Coordinates of all heavy atoms in Angstrom, one line a residue:
K1 N 74.2 -31.7 157.0 CA 74.7 -31.8 158.4 C 74.6 -33.3 158.9 O 75.4 -33.6 159.8 CB 74.0 -30.9 159.3 CG 74.3 -29.4 159.0 CD 73.9 -28.5 160.1 CE 74.5 -27.1 159.8 NZ 74.2 -26.1 160.9
T2 N 73.7 -34.1 158.4 CA 73.6 -35.4 158.9 C 74.3 -36.4 158.0 O 74.4 -37.6 158.3 CB 72.1 -35.9 158.9 OG1 71.5 -35.9 157.6 CG2 71.3 -35.0 159.8
K3 N 74.9 -35.9 156.9 CA 75.7 -36.8 156.0 C 77.1 -37.0 156.6 O 77.7 -36.1 157.2 CB 75.8 -36.2 154.6 CG 74.4 -36.0 153.9 CD 73.8 -37.3 153.5 CE 72.7 -37.1 152.5 NZ 71.6 -36.3 153.0
T4 N 77.7 -38.1 156.3 CA 79.1 -38.3 156.7 C 80.1 -37.5 155.8 O 79.7 -37.1 154.7 CB 79.5 -39.8 156.6 OG1 79.5 -40.2 155.2 CG2 78.6 -40.7 157.4
A5 N 81.3 -37.3 156.3 CA 82.3 -36.6 155.5 C 82.5 -37.3 154.1 O 82.6 -36.7 153.1 CB 83.6 -36.5 156.2
K6 N 82.5 -38.7 154.1 CA 82.6 -39.4 152.9 C 81.5 -39.2 151.9 O 81.7 -39.0 150.7 CB 82.7 -40.9 153.2 CG 83.0 -41.8 152.0 CD 83.1 -43.3 152.4 CE 83.4 -44.1 151.2 NZ 83.5 -45.6 151.5
E7 N 80.3 -39.1 152.4 CA 79.1 -38.8 151.6 C 79.2 -37.4 151.0 O 78.9 -37.2 149.8 CB 77.8 -38.9 152.4 CG 77.4 -40.3 152.7 CD 76.2 -40.4 153.6 OE1 76.2 -39.7 154.6 OE2 75.3 -41.2 153.3
V8 N 79.7 -36.4 151.7 CA 79.8 -35.0 151.2 C 80.9 -35.0 150.1 O 80.7 -34.4 149.1 CB 80.1 -34.1 152.3 CG1 80.4 -32.7 151.8 CG2 79.0 -34.0 153.4
V9 N 82.0 -35.7 150.4 CA 83.0 -35.8 149.3 C 82.5 -36.5 148.1 O 82.8 -36.0 147.0 CB 84.3 -36.6 149.9 CG1 85.3 -36.9 148.8 CG2 84.9 -35.7 151.0
T10 N 81.7 -37.5 148.3 CA 81.1 -38.2 147.1 C 80.2 -37.3 146.3 O 80.3 -37.3 145.1 CB 80.3 -39.5 147.6 OG1 81.2 -40.4 148.2 CG2 79.7 -40.2 146.4
L11 N 79.5 -36.5 147.0 CA 78.6 -35.5 146.4 C 79.4 -34.5 145.5 O 79.1 -34.3 144.4 CB 77.8 -34.7 147.4 CG 77.0 -33.6 146.9 CD1 75.9 -34.0 145.9 CD2 76.3 -32.8 148.1
L12 N 80.5 -34.0 146.1 CA 81.4 -33.1 145.4 C 82.0 -33.8 144.2 O 82.2 -33.1 143.1 CB 82.5 -32.6 146.3 CG 82.0 -31.7 147.4 CD1 83.2 -31.3 148.4 CD2 81.4 -30.4 146.9
E13 N 82.3 -35.1 144.3 CA 82.8 -35.8 143.1 C 81.8 -35.9 142.0 O 82.1 -35.7 140.8 CB 83.3 -37.2 143.5 CG 84.5 -37.2 144.4 CD 84.9 -38.5 145.0 OE1 84.0 -39.5 144.9 OE2 85.9 -38.7 145.6
Y14 N 80.5 -36.1 142.4 CA 79.5 -36.2 141.4 C 79.3 -34.8 140.7 O 79.1 -34.7 139.5 CB 78.1 -36.5 142.0 CG 77.9 -38.0 142.3 CD1 77.3 -38.4 143.5 CD2 78.3 -39.0 141.4 CE1 77.1 -39.7 143.8 CE2 78.1 -40.3 141.7 CZ 77.5 -40.7 142.9 OH 77.3 -42.0 143.2
L15 N 79.4 -33.7 141.5 CA 79.2 -32.4 141.0 C 80.4 -32.0 140.0 O 80.2 -31.4 139.0 CB 79.2 -31.4 142.1 CG 78.0 -31.5 143.1 CD1 77.9 -30.4 144.1 CD2 76.7 -31.7 142.3
D16 N 81.6 -32.5 140.4 CA 82.7 -32.3 139.5 C 82.5 -33.0 138.2 O 82.8 -32.4 137.1 CB 84.0 -32.8 140.2 CG 85.3 -32.4 139.5 OD1 85.4 -31.2 139.1 OD2 86.2 -33.2 139.3
K17 N 82.1 -34.2 138.2 CA 81.8 -34.9 136.9 C 80.7 -34.3 136.1 O 80.6 -34.3 134.9 CB 81.4 -36.4 137.3 CG 82.5 -37.2 137.7 CD 82.1 -38.6 138.2 CE 83.2 -39.4 138.7 NZ 82.7 -40.7 139.3
G18 N 79.7 -33.6 136.9 CA 78.6 -32.9 136.2 C 79.0 -31.5 135.8 O 78.1 -30.7 135.4
A19 N 80.3 -31.2 135.9 CA 80.8 -29.9 135.4 C 80.2 -28.7 136.2 O 80.0 -27.6 135.6 CB 80.6 -29.7 133.9
V20 N 79.9 -28.9 137.5 CA 79.4 -27.7 138.3 C 80.7 -26.9 138.7 O 81.6 -27.5 139.3 CB 78.7 -28.2 139.5 CG1 78.3 -27.0 140.4 CG2 77.5 -29.1 139.2
P21 N 80.7 -25.6 138.3 CA 81.9 -24.8 138.6 C 82.2 -24.8 140.1 O 81.3 -24.5 140.9 CB 81.5 -23.4 138.1 CG 80.4 -23.7 137.1 CD 79.7 -24.9 137.6
K22 N 83.4 -25.0 140.5 CA 83.8 -25.0 141.9 C 83.6 -23.6 142.5 O 83.4 -23.5 143.7 CB 85.2 -25.4 142.1 CG 85.4 -26.9 141.8 CD 86.8 -27.4 142.3 CE 86.8 -28.9 142.1 NZ 88.1 -29.5 142.5
D23 N 83.7 -22.5 141.7 CA 83.5 -21.2 142.3 C 82.0 -20.9 142.6 O 81.7 -19.9 143.3 CB 84.1 -20.1 141.4 CG 83.4 -20.0 140.0 OD1 82.5 -20.8 139.8 OD2 83.9 -19.2 139.2
K24 N 81.1 -21.8 142.3 CA 79.7 -21.7 142.6 C 79.4 -22.5 143.9 O 78.3 -22.3 144.5 CB 78.8 -22.2 141.5 CG 78.6 -21.2 140.4 CD 77.4 -21.7 139.5 CE 77.2 -20.6 138.4 NZ 75.9 -20.8 137.7
I25 N 80.3 -23.4 144.3 CA 80.0 -24.2 145.4 C 80.5 -23.7 146.8 O 81.6 -23.1 146.8 CB 80.7 -25.6 145.2 CG1 80.1 -26.3 143.9 CG2 80.5 -26.5 146.4 CD1 80.8 -27.6 143.6
I26 N 79.6 -23.7 147.8 CA 80.0 -23.3 149.1 C 79.8 -24.5 150.0 O 78.8 -25.2 150.0 CB 79.0 -22.2 149.6 CG1 79.1 -21.0 148.7 CG2 79.3 -21.8 151.1 CD1 78.0 -19.9 149.0
V27 N 80.8 -24.9 150.8 CA 80.7 -26.0 151.7 C 80.4 -25.5 153.1 O 81.1 -24.6 153.6 CB 82.0 -26.8 151.7 CG1 82.0 -27.9 152.8 CG2 82.2 -27.5 150.4
N28 N 79.4 -26.0 153.7 CA 79.0 -25.6 155.0 C 79.7 -26.4 156.1 O 79.7 -27.6 156.1 CB 77.4 -25.8 155.2 CG 76.9 -25.3 156.5 OD1 77.3 -25.7 157.6 ND2 76.0 -24.3 156.4
S29 N 80.5 -25.7 156.9 CA 81.2 -26.2 158.1 C 82.4 -27.1 157.9 O 83.3 -27.0 158.7 CB 80.2 -27.0 159.0 OG 79.1 -26.2 159.5

């Protein structure tokens, strides 16, 4: 909640590179 939108997007990019399945990810808010 205290991260910027850009930081959250960057996190998702890292997770994509780390092969974290998108169907496991839930985005809050």
Side-chain angles (χ1 to χ4, degrees):
K1 297 196 171 184
T2 65
K3 300 288 195 299
T4 65
K6 185 177 180 181
E7 286 176 311
V8 175
V9 170
T10 299
L11 173 61
L12 292 175
E13 289 171 351
Y14 282 139
L15 299 185
D16 191 46
K17 288 175 184 173
V20 178
K22 287 190 176 182
D23 60 3
K24 282 194 174 189
I25 299 173
I26 300 169
V27 171
N28 187 300
S29 299

